[in-house]
Amino acid sequence: MEHTLLCLLLLLSTHIYSGHSEDDGQAKAVLTIRPKSSQIFSGESVTFRCNIQRGKVTDWEYTWRKDVVDLFSRKHKYEISEVNISNSGNYWCLGRHIDQKKDSKWSDAVTLTVTALPTASVKMVTTQETLYPRDTVKLQCDISNYTGWTYHWLMNKELLSSQTSKTSTISLSDQAGQYQCQGTRTKRPQNSYLSSSLHISVTALPETTLTVNPNPAYKGETVTLTCSVGSDSGWSYTWHKDNTKKVVTLSDRHTTTGATFTISRAAESDQGLYWCQGEIQSRSISSIISDPVTITVKGVNPGPSTSVLVGVVVGLVVAGVLLAILLVLLCRYKKAKDSCCNRIFSPPQPQSTNLDPQQDQGSTQSQAPDAGYTHLQHDGANIYDTITPSDNDDNDAGTATAGSSDVMYAQIQLKQLDKKKKKMTADPKENPVYSAVKTGKTTATGLVDVTYAEVNLKQKAKAKKKKETATPPEADLVYSQLKPCTAPGT
């Protein structure tokens, strides 16, 4: 009986002690994290859980803290669906009993470290600078660290489902595009960052220009066709005749070299429409086909001889005209000269004499009674003009033997004027300019009555005097002798 009482007392004391401990002791919060990996990657989901070992979960209200900042959640779980670098830090939790209004102790800190995802980058392996529609380019996606990636390609943010390898060959559209890549895998990290955009420009297909020289051509000539596609190199050319689907057949007369197509010994069969087009065979790129050019082959080639003949004929005509003009001018000049030196009043044969005016009177005795002429007579520097008018008077025969009845002389001495216009001296003998008219008659024995005019013009000295030659005083005299046919007293 005593033993039973002792056991009851011991049980009661134990119950009293434990109840006091429950009422007076402070509970502690325990914080856990999922996943438990020491390395969390950006984009992954993280869950924190706070546990207090007294009562039920619903008996407590929870407080969350990151570093020194309290979070607003009051639940026993705190979730971050996609963590990023800014979520890294130390986390705590605390529970407050809803009924007793008592707080638990703060949990131990749990550290969250967020690691950035691997970076993806895209680059173009193709090296050509100019890209055309339907051109193909090779792209490559590189992801730093880790292995086992599956690659995804995007154009203008749209997924290209057919491309999943590290390198991708893409056929370009007519427009420019933005290309990106990204990697995924089954292990953590399961994704890479999306790469930056790679801009690819597409140039419109170039136009083609066709030139033909010569056109039209003549049979037997060589015709050259030249095809031009901008300034890009690496083009080869195809030639079409009559329609764009018919390629010109090469032969010994039809050859190609680079951008030229040569037709040797052109024939009528070479006439027709021609096109050309540029190609880059290694890239399967073709330029826009050229506009057609019509080649015409004529039957006869006038050749250079016709042109030369025409030139010769024109030259001869011009030379003939110039020669005719020259002859006309020469005749006019000679006629003018003859009119100054010879004054022919009647057709009888002229006679000349080299005598001076007095001696000339005797020579006139031998002239025919009806002789009438004008003739210049030269004696050194003297010029005589003897004029005997014709008069068919019956008495002329008798007087002819006796000589001319009346003689008129005009004696003129000409001297060149000085270019420097020197002053003339006052002495009239040195610079005579005068006219002396003398009248008289002449018979067979000499001058009886003579009428003449004498004019002496003094030459003016030149700027540079030449050596003077000794000439007789009559060297610059000009006489004009007039002889009537009727003698005085008849």
Side-chain angles (χ1 to χ4, degrees), residues 6 10 22 48 86 101 140 161 247-248 315 349 366 401 440 447 468:
L6 180 61
L10 181 61
E22 183 177 350
F48 293 95
S86 62
K101 307 300 182 185
Q140 179 174 307
S161 58
V247 179
V248 174
Q349 181 178 0
S366 62
T401 58
L447 178 64
E468 297 179 356

Side-chain angles (χ1 to χ4, degrees), residues 302-310:
S305 59
T306 303
S307 301
V308 173
L309 181 60
V310 172

Side-chain angles (χ1 to χ4, degrees), residues 364 367 369 371 386-391 396 399-400 403-408 440-442 449 451 481-488:
T364 58
Q367 297 175 0
T386 302
I387 302 174
T388 304
S390 179
D391 189 358
D396 289 346
T399 60
S404 300
S405 61
D406 292 320
V407 178
M408 297 182 183
K441 294 184 180 291
T442 182
D449 193 1
T451 300
Q481 181 177 4
L482 305 179
K483 299 177 183 181
C485 292
T486 57

Side-chain angles (χ1 to χ4, degrees), residues 117-123 140-144 149 151-152 180-183 191-197:
L117 290 173
T119 302
S121 61
V122 60
K123 64 180 181 181
Q140 179 174 307
C141 186
D142 294 323
I143 300 176
S144 59
W149 296 101
Y151 298 88
H152 305 278
Q180 295 173 288
C181 73
Q182 187 179 23
N191 297 288
S192 70
Y193 282 124
L194 184 65
S195 70
S196 299
S197 296

Side-chain angles (χ1 to χ4, degrees), residues 209-211 224-229 235-237 239 256-261 276:
T209 303
L210 174 60
T211 56
T224 302
L225 291 77
T226 303
C227 198
S228 175
V229 181
W235 292 92
S236 60
Y237 300 90
W239 303 89
T256 60
T257 302
T260 61
F261 173 67
C276 72

Side-chain angles (χ1 to χ4, degrees), residues 299-479:
V300 179
N301 186 355
S305 59
T306 303
S307 301
V308 173
L309 181 60
V310 172
V312 170
V313 172
V314 173
L316 290 176
V317 172
V318 173
V321 172
L322 292 177
L323 183 60
I325 294 174
L326 183 61
L327 290 175
V328 171
L329 293 177
L330 184 60
C331 291
R332 290 183 122 186
Y333 171 76
K334 191 170 183 180
K335 185 177 180 181
K337 184 177 179 182
D338 291 343
S339 66
C340 293
C341 299
N342 299 320
R343 298 174 183 174
I344 301 174
F345 294 98
S346 60
Q349 181 178 0
Q351 297 181 2
S352 62
T353 179
N354 293 328
L355 301 177
D356 60 14
Q358 287 83 2
Q359 293 173 345
D360 189 51
Q361 296 175 15
S363 66
T364 58
Q365 295 175 1
S366 62
Q367 297 175 0
D370 58 349
Y373 60 91
T374 298
H375 186 74
L376 295 181
Q377 304 174 14
H378 301 273
D379 183 11
N382 296 330
I383 302 175
Y384 302 93
D385 186 7
T386 302
I387 302 174
T388 304
S390 179
D391 189 358
N392 295 326
D393 198 341
D394 294 337
N395 297 326
D396 289 346
T399 60
T401 58
S404 300
S405 61
D406 292 320
V407 178
M408 297 182 183
Y409 294 96
Q411 181 178 0
I412 302 174
Q413 183 176 357
L414 301 178
K415 300 283 187 175
Q416 291 184 355
L417 296 177
D418 189 2
K419 293 181 180 179
K420 292 185 178 181
K421 298 182 179 180
K422 293 183 179 180
K423 294 183 179 179
M424 301 179 64
T425 60
D427 190 355
K429 293 181 180 181
E430 296 183 6
N431 298 283
V433 179
Y434 60 90
S435 175
V437 180
K438 303 173 184 180
T439 60
K441 294 184 180 291
T442 182
T443 63
T445 60
L447 178 64
V448 177
D449 193 1
V450 178
T451 300
Y452 65 94
E454 180 179 349
V455 179
N456 296 322
L457 299 178
K458 180 67 175 181
Q459 288 185 349
K460 299 188 72 176
K462 296 182 180 178
K464 294 183 180 180
K465 295 183 178 180
K466 296 182 179 179
K467 292 182 179 181
E468 297 179 356
T469 58
T471 57
E474 298 82 13
D476 297 315
L477 299 180
V478 178
Y479 299 91

Side-chain angles (χ1 to χ4, degrees), residues 43-241:
E44 292 183 335
S45 176
V46 175
T47 301
F48 293 95
R49 188 181 296 273
C50 188
N51 294 319
I52 301 175
Q53 296 178 350
R54 288 186 184 179
K56 298 177 181 180
V57 174
T58 56
D59 293 339
W60 299 87
E61 187 179 64
Y62 301 88
T63 300
W64 296 90
R65 178 174 292 176
K66 176 184 176 293
D67 296 331
V68 294
V69 179
D70 290 342
L71 304 177
F72 297 100
S73 177
R74 294 294 181 260
K75 296 181 180 180
H76 74 289
K77 290 191 303 182
Y78 180 71
E79 294 181 339
I80 304 175
S81 58
E82 293 182 1
V83 295
N84 52 47
I85 301 299
S86 62
N87 297 130
S88 298
N90 295 320
Y91 289 80
W92 292 269
C93 71
L94 173 71
R96 183 180 180 83
H97 198 280
I98 297 175
D99 295 334
Q100 298 178 4
K101 307 300 182 185
K102 292 181 178 181
D103 295 334
S104 68
K105 293 180 179 181
W106 285 99
S107 68
D108 295 333
V110 173
T111 302
L112 173 63
T113 302
V114 180
T115 302
L117 290 173
T119 302
S121 61
V122 60
K123 64 180 181 181
M124 184 168 63
V125 180
T126 306
T127 57
Q128 59 259 26
E129 296 181 358
T130 305
L131 298 173
Y132 299 105
R134 299 187 301 278
D135 221 340
T136 57
V137 294
K138 187 176 182 180
L139 305 179
Q140 179 174 307
C141 186
D142 294 323
I143 300 176
S144 59
N145 301 327
Y146 311 105
T147 59
W149 296 101
T150 298
Y151 298 88
H152 305 278
W153 293 91
L154 297 90
M155 174 187 173
N156 299 331
K157 297 183 179 181
E158 293 184 3
L159 183 64
L160 301 175
S161 58
S162 60
Q163 305 292 333
T164 58
S165 61
K166 181 179 179 70
T167 58
S168 176
T169 302
I170 299 173
S171 179
L172 300 178
S173 62
D174 294 341
Q175 299 178 351
Q178 304 286 342
Y179 291 85
Q180 295 173 288
C181 73
Q182 187 179 23
T184 61
R185 68 179 194 156
T186 57
K187 298 180 181 179
R188 299 177 59 248
Q190 295 181 336
N191 297 288
S192 70
Y193 282 124
L194 184 65
S195 70
S196 299
S197 296
L198 173 65
H199 179 76
I200 297 179
S201 299
V202 179
T203 303
L205 290 174
E207 295 182 353
T208 308
T209 303
L210 174 60
T211 56
V212 179
N213 185 39
N215 192 26
Y218 295 94
K219 286 184 178 180
E221 283 190 326
T222 297
V223 182
T224 302
L225 291 77
T226 303
C227 198
S228 175
V229 181
S231 60
D232 292 338
S233 59
W235 292 92
S236 60
Y237 300 90
T238 56
W239 303 89
H240 306 271
K241 183 177 183 291

